[in-house]
Structures are given as C-alpha cells and as structure tokens.
Amino acid sequence: MVFAIWGRDGTGKSMLADALGRIFCKQGITSIIDTDLTQPTLPARINGKKLNMEASLGKAISGMGADDAARYLHQHPKVKRLFYAGLTAQDEYLFYELGLDATDAAKDFVQRCTSLADTVILDLSGQRADPFVPAALSGADKIIVPITPNVQGVCWFNAVKPFLE
C-alpha cells in the first residue's frame, strides 16, 4: 500500500508520516520516503546513524545512483521494520541536477520501494515542483492532505486542488 501525505510546509506531514510508519511497521516492513529536497529530516529521524551522500535520496533520483532502492533505505535505530529514505546531512539540494528525468526516476524509486516494503509512505514536500508529486498523485492508494485553517493554508490548497482532481 502506498500513502501520500502532501501539504504546505509546517502542517504536520512528517509527524503524521512517522506516526503512520510506527503503526504500519507492526504489520510489516514500512518505508517512509521524505521527498523534501531542500530541508532534510532524515538525520533527525534516524538520530545517531551516520550517513554519507552515497546513501542520499537525491543521488538515487538524479541519475547518479544505482537501481537498487534498498541501498537508500535506512533502518530506524530502535524500530524494527521501519525504514527511511531522504537527504543526508551533507546534502545540498543544488548538488543534484534534477532535470526532466527526475519525475520518472522518482516514480521508479517508489515502484522499487513497493517491492521491498509492505507499506510505503511518501512524506511529500509542499512544493508543486517536488519530483515525487506526480508519482504520488497517480500511484498512491491513499492521499492525505493536511491543511492549516489560515489564509496561507487555504491559498495553498486552492493552488494545488487541480492536481488532486
């Protein structure tokens, strides 16, 4: 099963993704893919585990990585069957030249993750340019869109509503 969580920055997407991940990992292997390519949360999520840029989601979808998605999934240090993918602390977004192929590479990466995990949770960034958004919106079994009840949240939702429809 693939869940996509998409919303404006600060709406609790990562917190919701982590909570769902802890629930679903009791039933099987769960992968949470943090697609935010500007603010990495992977280092905080797997606190204490050292990662280098060779293990980065940016490398995986930029065409510089290998075809093996397992290489980019990192086990939570305390929770069995819970894995994460995302940017590492050393990453800078501009290091990766994400061209037109990034969307196809992101879709391929999600497909590969579904063969490795029972549940895949896409913690999408708030940007419409996130290369994972097309894959998530076309291939997710469930899409969760948290919004904040303020002008910015409503404006963001109205801007992305055509994508959801």
Side-chain angles (χ1 to χ4, degrees), residues 13-111:
K13 300 180 301 289
S14 296
M15 194 164 61
L16 180 59
D18 289 345
L20 287 173
R22 288 178 183 268
I23 291 168
F24 285 113
C25 75
K26 293 175 184 173
Q27 301 166 5
I29 296 173
T30 301
S31 297
I32 298 175
I33 303 171
D34 179 2
T35 72
D36 192 336
L37 298 177
T38 58
Q39 297 177 354
T41 62
L42 182 64
R45 285 175 154 165
I46 57 170
N47 192 14
K49 191 171 182 181
K50 302 227 183 233
L51 300 172
N52 61 31
M53 289 174 58
E54 295 298 315
S56 171
L57 181 62
K59 185 167 185 169
I61 67 164
S62 68
M64 299 166 41
D67 290 339
D68 182 18
R71 174 181 179 178
Y72 304 100
L73 294 173
H74 310 285
Q75 185 171 4
H76 187 282
K78 296 179 182 171
V79 183
K80 291 185 179 189
R81 298 190 299 193
L82 181 58
F83 295 82
Y84 291 99
L87 291 188
T88 66
Q90 294 92 5
D91 283 321
E92 288 189 30
Y93 171 64
L94 296 175
F95 177 80
Y96 302 106
E97 294 183 17
L98 299 178
L100 298 174
D101 296 339
T103 298
D104 292 335
K107 186 175 184 177
D108 185 51
F109 186 80
V110 172
Q111 289 266 327

